[in-house]
Amino acid sequence: MAAEALPSQFDVVILGTGLTESVIAAACSRVGQNVLHLDRRNYYAGNWASFTFNGLLSWIEEYKNQQEVQITESEQVWRSLIDEGEDVVPLSSVDSSISNLEVFCYASEEEEKEEETKAPLTSCQPVNAETVSEETTGDPTEAQDTVTGDDTTASDAKTQNEEHKVSEPKEEQHTSDISEPSQSQEEKDSQLISSPEDRPVDVEKKITYQKLVKEGRRFNIDLVSKLMYSRGALVDLLIKSNVSRYAEFKNIGRILTCRNGKVEQVPCSRADVFASKQLTVVEKRMLMKFLTFCLDFEQHPEEYQDYTEKPFREFLKNKKLTENLQDFVLHSIGMVTQQTLTAEGLKATQHFLRCLGRYGNTPFLFPLYGLGEIPQCFCRMCAVFGGIYCLRHSVQCLVVDKASNNLFLKFFIFFILILFLHLHRQISRAVLITDRSVLPSESDQQISLVTIPPLESSAPAVRMVELCSSSMTCMPGTYLVHLTCSSYGTAQEDLAPVVSELFHVSTILGEEPSESAEERSKPAVLWVMYFNMRDTSALDSSSYSLPSNVHVCTGPDGSLGSDCSIKLAESVFRHILPDEEFCPPAPNPEDIIYDGDGPQAEGPGFDESANTEADKSQAEEEGAAHEKSPSTESSDPAEMDSVTQSTPSHTTPSSEE
Amino acid sequence: MHGRVKIKSTAQQEEEKRKEREKKLKAYVSARDAVLKKRGAGEHDEEALQLTQQLLSSNPDFATLWNYRREVLLHLETLREKDEVQKLYESELHFIEACLKVNPKSYGCWHHRSWVNTRLPQPDWTRELGLCDRCLSLDERNFHCWDYRRVVVKESGVSVEQELQFTDRLIGSNFSNYSSWHYRSTLLPQLHPQPVPDSAPNTSPSPTTSPQFHSHRVCEEQLLKEYELAHNAFFTDPNDQSAWFYYRWLLGRAEREEMISCVYVSREGERVSVAFSKPVHAQSEGLMLVVDGQPQQVHWRSAHPRFRHSAVWLCDLPPGSISDISNEHNLTIHWTEKHTHRDCALYTGSAESWCRDSATDQELFRSELSVEKSSVLQAELQSCNQLLELEPQNKWCLLTIILLMRALDPLGHEKETLAHFQSLKEVDPMRSSYYSDLCSKFLIENTILKMEYAEVRVFSLSNKNLTTLCHLDQLLFVTHINLSSNQLLRLPPQFAMLQCLEVLEADDNAIESLEGLYHLPKLEEVSLRNNRILFSKKSKCFYKKPLFWCQSQCLIWPCFKDSVFSINKQIQTYSSAKFCYSPLF
């Protein structure tokens, strides 16, 4: 669509497509506001984004370039557009939220060799078989170059066909167990692999760097690592607003912890406690009793009131939980620190427990294709209701009416990092690609949350999420591991000790993982990236003298859930549109009234839902509201002067291209 | 306002929905009529299949249509080649799957599915098993699916080990599942049967493959593993009964062997009483009395005319046959049905004689739990006590401890048992009557044991808070019974088993009915002070007529040495007042 066909007036302009901004965009658009949603970058979701492996490599490249070149832009272009009576608030276009980025590759970088002699080995190779079967059912054109490897696989088509023949009956045999023919490929895969006789015994396939690059599009690597509490604000909002229809989710299969260098499962649900082999029966009872108490601890104040001002840990001791159980509750269920007070610890434990059982045996969900999907889903909702999207567009300054000190717009909302850079709280992150799970089990298609108590008393507690390939975030045969903690030093200083504790890291870059039995008990790291991300969640926007119709959003925080971002979005929405419902359920397509001609000029080029005409009664009602609103009038002169008008590239976000 | 999407109002939606429903109903009714007409006309064609398919996919519970479908399919089967038949039935299976999605608990669907599989030339049982697994993963308590699964497992010959793993899996994901636990209890005896000792009498018929005919016991090694599993479950959630029930099953429930436990003969009454270990119907069981080698033509009657099945049976000998005290007689009771018999000798000079198994010999009352090894039971008792320390309010734990204590040493644990019963009634007041009855039963058992150790015929159960009477068949010889100061509501018909009873004291109870006082041939003295015997004008029962019995505080019947029948007669013909001695008259 040509740029001139775009409307030039908006009710709400939002800069940044992170989760909070996207939710606000969807909420405003849903209740009829004209929304312009901008992002400086050429991708959605800002620091919430997910990248393919290649996309991430470009992102890293961009980061490095940004470090080298300080962008100095001439102010002249827009200075000349400012009229009398207008004032400007310049916005920085440098994003310094990411720092200390380090990348190490441990996968073999040597060129692939054709090794015909070893080809027959692959016929009994489940990892291969799985890859091939998925390729052939999924994307036949790509199948030609997917089965590659340096020693156990051959890249010529003949061998591949042989493999295919071998793998096919396997798949048939497994899928025949399934009565539902339409079962998704992912489930088939997991069935295929979960069958114990197929599991790899000693033949391991090497994954080269080339392969990671070649299969790069199978990765969806999140910049922030979060899970969704199944009764958290985000899930509730997704359900309430019907945005959930744009995404798919997978249960987190298990919750693990690392104690004394050993990874073990945390019994957190009733079924887990029952099945746990580490706990004595008495411990089981004590744990269940304590957890049951936590579920409605408010009802029994006499149990904890002496401890509200004391650390949670002391309360746990007082409850006669064994050392074992105290660790489980503190680090893995409550996910709080040694210093956390009892009241907060109980609340956190209760939240965890209330989320259990809604969708599975753990309290968490993970969106397929990565967390970056979620902001995009809200953007999609916004676009469906007429929001306009411009990526690669920034705002250089805010034009403020000198008299009222207000923006020539109804509302302006933007992502904090563009403006304020002096927040020091940081999150340390590490992203690893590994070759196996930290705790292999019957099914290797499980997402695991691993809570790692501080290795030393001064170190932070680390949260690790291990994603399997069926979460659509990494290529089959690998695991994508996210580590997160609040920063004490740089990300590498904070997280490298945990990585070397849990994983096998080659001493020489690019070296193949050693085959010694001891070392191979740990998963090998193929590729790792460390970086710090600024945590702006603690920002108090009222401490800055901003125009009253400008609102500020913060970036992702360090916690496991996204409640903070959703609550912020809701409070901003309530502030700007106090009389409107926040994200009411989107109507079903069949309930939308269609009419041939769109009533508004911006009709063409929008999603079909924009081409609708008002239901009479509702239209009258809203029309009245519209006239009464003086801010709408005053916003009329606001040209898009705060927006650079190069060729806009506006797209509708979609969950899967 | 700009860009706001217009949504139909609720009224509009409602109206549309209503119209939609009306349309659907019309289509449904006309299709139904067409189908029923076709069926009436005996048409068995493809169209019938299509029409029924339409109807059933919206309402899978229309049994007539499933029947019609079967008729059509059977007809089509005769017209087609074998591979076409296979296809026909396979598409039928697909169709049923769609119907199951509409109602996963449709009787008609599941039944039809079983039927289709019997008709299918090459049934694919693996696929069916997969369907069941999926269904159960959606609803692990869908008993329709459990039923169907049993059929599939039987037909497809899934190994018992695999099935046990299947229950492991289901119990692992949610142990609150009776079906899985129960399934386990049928699988374990097949997989790990208890080794049968050679000396054991082989009463059961030759073993068959069906689990029902196997011994229900499990070998000890496996049993210990199962105890552990049950511990895990009830320590995790002691309020979930499913695991407790399974645990009770593991501890076992011994079935008492059917046998003649006692024969009693009285010279004076010229009567033989036979007690059995379980209530039987003697007339149909072929009970035969032989006196001194001569089979006797006798009429067997149960202890109380109301019982068709009774643990005690009586017969009168021909007058004069044993009345001479100087003669010795040998009696034998043959139980032809069970190929067993019991002898009893009536010696010169004795007025009565009996031959019996004592309760102590048989460990009669321990048999509730049949795990033989007391070391195992002791360990289990310890586990439960450990749980009780953590959960002093848990009724399942309390009850299980009581049962374990009884199995181990009923007399030694009597005090603790009573204390636990008291806690049980407090924590579970809804079932306090049940616990009282159970407690009464155990107290009676203990008294019977004590009485037998002392070898007396006096049975005293006063002031024990009894609410019910049981094991009366064990009291065939008791002459004196004291039931005073309890909470008994009635003297039940079973009381008629006390054939030797002479004196009954039952003061200070809440007795309303005296049914059991019939037919007691030797009863001489009854004391029923302070009870609640009812007066009813309508009732013809003699003991309810005289109101003054309860008012009078005391009722003593002197010298009722006549037979029961004569008492009855006299009461009906004479005024009760004349008949009773009471200080008021």
Side-chain angles (χ1 to χ4, degrees):
Chain A
M1 184 171 58
E4 50 270 25
L6 285 169
S8 55
Q9 293 166 23
F10 293 96
D11 301 319
V12 182
V13 175
I14 298 170
L15 175 58
T17 50
L19 180 61
T20 312
E21 303 93 293
S22 304
V23 170
I24 298 170
C28 292
S29 175
R30 173 70 185 83
V31 297
Q33 299 288 312
N34 269 336
V35 176
L36 174 66
H37 202 172
L38 306 166
D39 201 307
R40 236 172 26 82
R41 306 172 179 89
N42 61 353
Y43 52 85
Y44 278 94
N47 278 349
W48 297 79
S50 307
F51 295 103
T52 62
F53 189 63
N54 311 59
L56 189 65
L57 295 179
S58 333
W59 180 81
I60 294 166
E61 206 56 36
E62 204 180 302
Y63 164 81
K64 284 181 178 158
N65 293 338
Q66 192 188 316
Q67 296 302 103
E68 286 158 17
V69 189
Q70 278 297 335
I71 306 153
T72 47
E73 276 185 51
S74 158
E75 292 191 351
Q76 298 313 312
V77 186
W78 50 268
R79 279 291 180 199
S80 61
L81 294 169
I82 307 298
D83 296 333
E84 272 303 302
E86 289 178 354
D87 207 351
V88 291
V89 180
L91 297 179
S92 161
S93 59
V94 179
D95 178 359
S96 65
S97 59
I98 305 294
S99 55
N100 306 325
L101 195 146
E102 301 284 348
V103 175
F104 304 96
C105 178
Y106 301 100
S108 165
E109 298 208 38
E110 60 194 274
E111 287 299 310
E112 294 156 23
K113 286 173 281 180
E114 290 191 16
E115 290 187 48
E116 290 284 346
T117 46
K118 291 206 177 179
L121 267 178
T122 60
S123 59
C124 58
Q125 252 258 15
V127 182
N128 253 342
E130 182 215 357
T131 316
V132 175
S133 62
E134 198 194 15
E135 291 305 331
T136 45
T137 45
D139 188 353
T141 56
E142 212 193 66
Q144 290 302 312
D145 55 16
T146 45
V147 182
T148 51
D150 57 346
D151 58 351
T152 52
T153 62
S155 55
D156 66 325
K158 192 183 157 210
T159 324
Q160 193 190 321
N161 284 342
E162 279 168 16
E163 284 170 20
H164 192 189
K165 272 176 209 155
V166 177
S167 67
E168 198 160 60
K170 270 186 197 168
E171 187 183 322
E172 265 173 18
Q173 177 204 326
H174 286 281
T175 49
S176 60
D177 296 348
I178 308 158
S179 54
E180 186 73 36
S182 65
Q183 199 177 23
S184 78
Q185 184 63 47
E186 171 218 332
E187 278 170 290
K188 280 185 196 168
D189 281 344
S190 60
Q191 286 242 350
L192 193 68
I193 316 161
S194 62
S195 135
E197 66 272 15
D198 281 356
R199 301 192 61 209
V201 185
D202 42 13
V203 191
E204 286 293 335
K205 194 175 91 169
K206 299 285 184 322
I207 295 163
T208 62
Y209 185 68
Q210 268 67 31
K211 188 160 171 70
L212 291 180
V213 173
K214 223 167 222 172
E215 298 271 315
R217 60 178 282 279
R218 295 185 172 279
F219 288 90
N220 279 296
I221 302 167
D222 296 323
L223 292 185
V224 286
S225 171
K226 285 180 181 294
L227 298 176
M228 299 162 67
Y229 277 95
S230 58
R231 285 185 203 279
L234 178 55
V235 168
D236 288 348
L237 181 64
L238 284 168
I239 294 169
K240 182 190 168 211
S241 62
N242 275 350
V243 171
S244 55
R245 66 168 72 137
Y246 301 137
E248 288 180 277
F249 304 90
K250 189 173 163 71
N251 268 318
I252 279 44
R254 52 191 185 166
I255 293 180
L256 309 176
T257 190
C258 178
R259 292 191 309 150
N260 313 322
K262 238 183 88 209
V263 177
E264 57 189 19
Q265 188 152 359
V266 178
C268 54
S269 68
R270 199 172 89 129
D272 287 348
V273 174
F274 168 66
S276 168
K277 295 220 168 26
Q278 330 148 27
L279 300 182
T280 66
V281 285
V282 175
E283 279 182 312
K284 289 184 181 199
R285 184 80 291 274
M286 296 310 289
L287 182 61
M288 284 302 289
K289 203 172 175 175
F290 180 75
L291 296 181
T292 316
F293 154 73
C294 285
L295 257 181
D296 54 353
F297 71 92
E298 293 101 332
Q299 312 292 317
H300 311 281
E302 71 283 357
E303 300 263 350
Y304 66 92
Q305 59 193 5
D306 296 343
Y307 283 85
T308 41
E309 296 302 316
K310 291 181 191 163
F312 192 36
R313 178 123 218 168
E314 266 183 46
F315 178 65
L316 297 180
K317 258 182 218 154
N318 169 261
K319 279 279 168 188
K320 296 204 181 69
L321 298 188
T322 58
E323 199 80 6
N324 247 352
L325 299 178
Q326 290 175 30
D327 281 345
F328 285 146
V329 173
L330 197 70
H331 299 299
S332 305
I333 297 178
M335 286 185 270
V336 294
T337 65
Q338 302 274 1
Q339 290 78 40
T340 309
L341 296 183
T342 301
E344 193 190 329
L346 283 171
K347 267 241 145 61
T349 309
Q350 185 187 48
H351 185 44
F352 181 101
L353 296 171
R354 284 191 174 162
C355 293
L356 275 177
R358 187 177 197 184
Y359 298 112
N361 252 342
T362 72
F364 305 109
L365 290 178
F366 182 77
L368 294 188
Y369 304 101
L371 196 71
E373 285 300 296
I374 300 299
Q376 290 196 55
C377 290
F378 282 99
C379 289
R380 184 174 181 173
M381 173 68 110
C382 174
V384 163
F385 287 88
I388 292 188
Y389 277 81
C390 294
L391 294 185
R392 271 188 277 130
H393 279 72
S394 190
V395 176
Q396 273 147 14
C397 68
L398 306 178
V399 183
V400 179
D401 178 9
K402 269 183 182 159
S404 66
N405 195 28
N406 264 3
L407 209 57
F408 289 113
L409 262 177
K410 264 170 91 178
F411 301 109
F412 185 77
I413 296 150
F414 65 99
F415 175 44
I416 177 64
L417 290 171
I418 309 296
L419 187 60
F420 304 105
L421 306 173
H422 52 270
L423 285 159
H424 297 299
R425 225 155 91 174
Q426 298 229 311
I427 304 164
S428 288
R429 290 272 294 115
V431 177
L432 283 72
I433 299 171
T434 67
D435 67 343
R436 68 170 82 179
S437 172
V438 287
L439 184 64
S441 71
E442 274 167 41
S443 159
D444 61 359
Q445 290 299 310
Q446 288 199 82
I447 303 177
S448 315
L449 168 67
V450 192
T451 50
I452 302 148
L455 294 179
E456 302 156 35
S457 55
S458 64
V462 176
R463 198 175 71 226
M464 179 167 114
V465 175
E466 184 190 72
L467 300 164
C468 58
S469 60
S470 69
S471 69
M472 314 311 265
T473 54
C474 57
M475 59 177 267
T478 64
Y479 287 84
L480 183 63
V481 181
H482 288 283
L483 285 90
T484 311
C485 70
S486 46
S487 300
Y488 281 60
T490 67
Q492 196 183 354
E493 285 163 9
D494 287 341
L495 296 171
V498 176
V499 171
S500 49
E501 168 101 20
L502 289 175
F503 299 92
H504 167 70
V505 185
S506 307
T507 42
I508 308 158
L509 293 189
E511 188 209 42
E512 291 175 23
S514 80
E515 291 297 320
S516 77
E518 187 203 355
E519 283 303 324
R520 292 306 284 144
S521 62
K522 295 175 179 176
V525 176
L526 303 173
W527 187 87
V528 59
M529 168 174 84
Y530 295 101
F531 64 91
N532 287 86
M533 185 186 280
R534 202 177 294 276
D535 176 3
T536 54
S537 59
L539 170 93
D540 179 15
S541 63
S542 62
S543 63
Y544 304 100
S545 55
L546 286 169
S548 65
N549 55 354
V550 170
H551 297 272
V552 178
C553 298
T554 60
D557 63 351
S559 69
L560 181 57
S562 315
D563 290 26
C564 161
S565 304
I566 302 300
K567 287 199 174 108
L568 176 63
E570 186 166 1
S571 88
V572 170
F573 179 83
R574 294 246 177 273
H575 208 261
I576 61 178
L577 296 165
D579 301 327
E580 294 283 359
E581 193 183 343
F582 179 63
C583 289
N588 292 320
E590 63 267 24
D591 288 336
I592 296 174
I593 303 167
Y594 295 100
D595 197 290
D597 34 45
Q600 306 296 336
E602 65 266 39
F606 274 27
D607 274 67
E608 71 285 356
S609 51
N611 288 327
T612 60
E613 206 199 350
D615 165 20
K616 266 183 189 164
S617 60
Q618 222 171 331
E620 277 159 21
E621 210 177 278
E622 282 155 16
H626 176 75
E627 275 155 30
K628 268 182 251 162
S629 159
S631 63
T632 319
E633 245 73 75
S634 68
S635 72
D636 281 345
E639 299 289 346
M640 288 179 65
D641 50 4
S642 58
V643 181
T644 54
Q645 291 215 348
S646 61
T647 322
S649 69
H650 58 92
T651 52
T652 306
S654 60
S655 59
E656 232 291 83
E657 300 295 327
Chain B
M1 213 179 246
H2 308 299
R4 180 172 287 225
V5 175
K6 291 307 150 205
I7 304 155
K8 291 171 188 165
S9 69
T10 347
Q12 264 176 315
Q13 283 178 8
E14 283 297 304
E15 178 63 16
E16 248 168 53
K17 269 185 197 155
R18 196 187 58 79
K19 276 187 186 150
E20 188 83 352
R21 273 199 298 269
E22 233 166 51
K23 218 169 103 188
K24 263 190 187 164
L25 182 68
K26 223 172 181 180
Y28 181 85
V29 169
S30 68
R32 182 198 65 193
D33 293 344
V35 167
L36 294 180
K37 201 172 151 199
K38 271 179 89 69
R39 192 184 188 203
E43 291 174 40
H44 296 120
D45 52 14
E46 292 273 359
E47 194 198 359
L49 282 184
Q50 272 167 18
L51 280 171
T52 49
Q53 178 156 354
Q54 260 174 34
L55 289 168
L56 286 168
S57 40
S58 59
N59 174 17
D61 294 307
F62 201 150
T64 311
L65 297 187
W66 288 117
N67 284 335
Y68 184 32
R69 251 183 120 71
R70 280 191 278 277
E71 289 165 20
V72 176
L73 288 168
L74 282 174
H75 176 72
L76 292 177
E77 201 179 295
T78 59
L79 305 176
R80 303 216 177 161
E81 294 294 317
K82 197 184 162 194
D83 48 340
E84 279 182 324
V85 172
Q86 175 82 16
K87 269 189 199 142
L88 181 72
Y89 282 120
E90 274 172 8
S91 67
E92 190 70 5
L93 288 178
H94 280 291
F95 166 59
I96 299 169
E97 243 168 80
C99 293
L100 284 175
K101 281 181 194 160
V102 178
N103 179 7
K105 294 189 174 179
S106 159
Y107 283 89
C109 281
W110 288 107
H111 175 248
H112 192 61
R113 200 168 181 91
S114 305
W115 180 83
V116 168
N117 274 314
T118 62
R119 303 304 304 174
L120 202 61
Q122 289 152 330
D124 183 354
W125 294 115
T126 347
R127 193 173 169 284
E128 295 307 301
L129 213 55
L131 175 100
C132 292
D133 285 359
R134 278 172 58 82
C135 238
L136 288 178
S137 70
L138 294 173
D139 176 4
E140 62 221 349
R141 300 181 191 186
N142 184 342
F143 70 85
H144 301 268
C145 184
W146 273 102
D147 278 347
Y148 180 65
R149 200 176 177 285
R150 272 188 270 279
V151 174
V152 173
V153 166
K154 198 175 152 205
E155 292 297 330
S156 58
V158 180
S159 74
V160 182
E161 285 92 343
Q162 273 174 311
E163 285 302 281
L164 197 67
Q165 281 168 8
F166 167 74
T167 64
D168 275 339
R169 208 177 69 222
L170 285 194
I171 290 169
S173 67
N174 179 6
F175 62 82
S176 180
N177 187 331
Y178 285 104
S179 305
S180 305
W181 288 116
H182 172 257
Y183 196 24
R184 248 186 128 67
S185 74
T186 64
L187 295 170
L188 283 171
Q190 294 180 66
L191 203 57
H192 307 280
Q194 190 181 34
V196 180
D198 295 334
S199 57
N202 190 11
T203 46
S204 63
S206 58
T208 59
T209 45
S210 163
Q212 279 84 355
F213 294 99
H214 277 272
S215 148
H216 287 288
R217 301 309 310 154
V218 179
C219 75
E220 191 181 320
E221 191 189 351
Q222 184 63 30
L223 207 56
L224 292 174
K225 284 187 199 158
E226 294 301 311
Y227 284 135
E228 206 183 310
L229 194 68
H231 291 167
N232 276 330
F234 61 65
F235 270 87
T236 303
D237 186 356
N239 292 316
D240 188 276
Q241 7 179 352
S242 63
W244 285 108
F245 275 109
Y246 182 61
Y247 188 60
R248 289 268 289 271
W249 175 80
L250 286 174
L251 291 171
R253 179 178 288 269
E255 297 255 316
R256 284 186 66 189
E257 204 187 328
E258 285 189 340
M259 53 184 268
I260 301 173
S261 58
C262 172
V263 176
Y264 169 83
V265 55
S266 145
R267 230 185 256 274
E268 189 186 8
E270 292 179 296
R271 174 177 295 184
V272 177
S273 312
V274 183
F276 298 86
S277 56
K278 280 175 158 180
V280 294
H281 187 236
Q283 274 137 354
S284 63
E285 294 276 352
L287 207 59
M288 207 168 74
L289 172 65
V290 178
V291 181
D292 301 327
Q294 295 293 313
Q296 303 287 314
Q297 283 288 329
V298 290
H299 174 69
W300 291 102
R301 61 172 197 274
S302 65
H304 191 282
R306 252 177 54 192
F307 297 140
R308 279 176 55 78
H309 284 77
S310 169
V312 174
W313 287 82
L314 315 166
C315 71
D316 292 315
L317 289 166
S321 54
I322 54 167
S323 54
D324 188 349
I325 198 147
S326 56
N327 287 341
E328 184 179 316
H329 298 283
N330 282 309
L331 293 94
T332 309
I333 305 291
H334 287 276
W335 191 3
T336 44
E337 200 81 344
K338 294 280 180 284
H339 306 285
T340 178
H341 62 88
R342 188 119 207 165
D343 300 318
C344 179
L346 182 60
Y347 298 108
T348 319
S350 51
E352 56 186 7
S353 171
W354 63 81
C355 162
R356 64 174 298 213
D357 295 325
S358 87
T360 43
D361 293 344
Q362 290 173 52
E363 298 197 338
L364 199 57
F365 305 128
R366 299 191 188 194
S367 61
E368 287 279 315
L369 304 179
S370 65
V371 173
E372 307 293 331
K373 285 207 170 165
S374 62
S375 61
V376 174
L377 291 176
Q378 198 69 52
E380 291 310 306
L381 181 60
Q382 258 170 17
S383 293
C384 288
N385 277 327
Q386 198 178 22
L387 179 59
L388 191 70
E389 261 175 53
L390 302 170
E391 295 291 323
Q393 304 278 302
N394 188 276
K395 61 172 179 175
W396 294 101
C397 189
L398 282 165
L399 189 59
T400 308
I401 287 176
I402 290 172
L403 294 177
L404 283 166
M405 284 178 166
R406 289 211 60 76
L408 280 164
D409 180 4
L411 290 176
H413 287 294
E414 183 172 293
K415 220 172 162 181
E416 286 163 276
T417 310
L418 287 175
H420 285 324
F421 266 119
Q422 197 51 44
S423 335
L424 263 178
K425 282 184 231 176
E426 280 159 22
V427 298
D428 189 16
M430 285 247 292
R431 285 166 201 82
S432 63
S433 300
Y434 169 76
Y435 298 129
S436 295
D437 285 359
L438 198 61
C439 186
S440 305
K441 178 173 173 242
F442 291 160
L443 281 171
I444 292 171
E445 286 174 2
N446 283 0
T447 316
I448 291 173
L449 288 175
K450 283 180 205 158
M451 178 185 80
E452 290 196 349
Y453 285 125
E455 294 189 342
V456 290
R457 293 174 74 178
V458 179
F459 191 71
S460 178
L461 270 170
S462 66
N463 205 7
K464 299 248 187 212
N465 288 323
L466 297 188
T467 54
T468 184
L469 293 171
C470 54
H471 290 304
L472 292 169
D473 56 311
Q474 297 288 326
L475 303 178
L476 201 55
F477 320 104
V478 168
T479 53
H480 291 69
I481 189 163
N482 183 356
L483 300 171
S484 301
S485 304
N486 283 304
Q487 290 155 24
L488 295 172
L489 296 174
R490 55 205 286 251
L491 297 176
Q494 283 85 346
F495 216 72
M497 290 172 186
L498 303 169
Q499 288 292 307
C500 302
L501 190 66
E502 293 165 10
V503 177
L504 166 66
E505 289 173 75
D507 301 339
D508 303 314
N509 277 291
I511 296 171
E512 296 173 350
S513 119
L514 297 174
E515 260 178 298
L517 285 193
Y518 274 109
H519 317 292
L520 293 178
K522 299 194 173 172
L523 193 60
E524 292 174 8
E525 201 175 308
V526 176
S527 175
L528 284 167
R529 283 190 200 89
N530 192 19
N531 275 296
R532 295 186 197 150
I533 296 156
L534 291 177
F535 171 73
S536 159
K537 273 182 185 167
K538 280 182 187 169
S539 168
K540 285 181 180 169
C541 300
F542 75 97
Y543 53 83
K544 287 182 179 170
K545 271 183 189 169
L547 180 60
F548 55 85
W549 284 5
C550 5
Q551 291 169 337
S552 67
Q553 304 273 312
C554 170
L555 165 69
I556 296 169
W557 293 352
C559 305
F560 283 165
K561 287 199 172 177
D562 317 58
S563 75
V564 179
F565 302 102
S566 63
I567 291 179
N568 240 338
K569 222 172 166 180
Q570 285 164 328
I571 285 172
Q572 276 160 15
T573 46
Y574 298 100
S575 147
S576 334
K578 285 182 189 166
F579 207 67
C580 296
Y581 169 79
S582 162
L584 290 177
F585 290 85

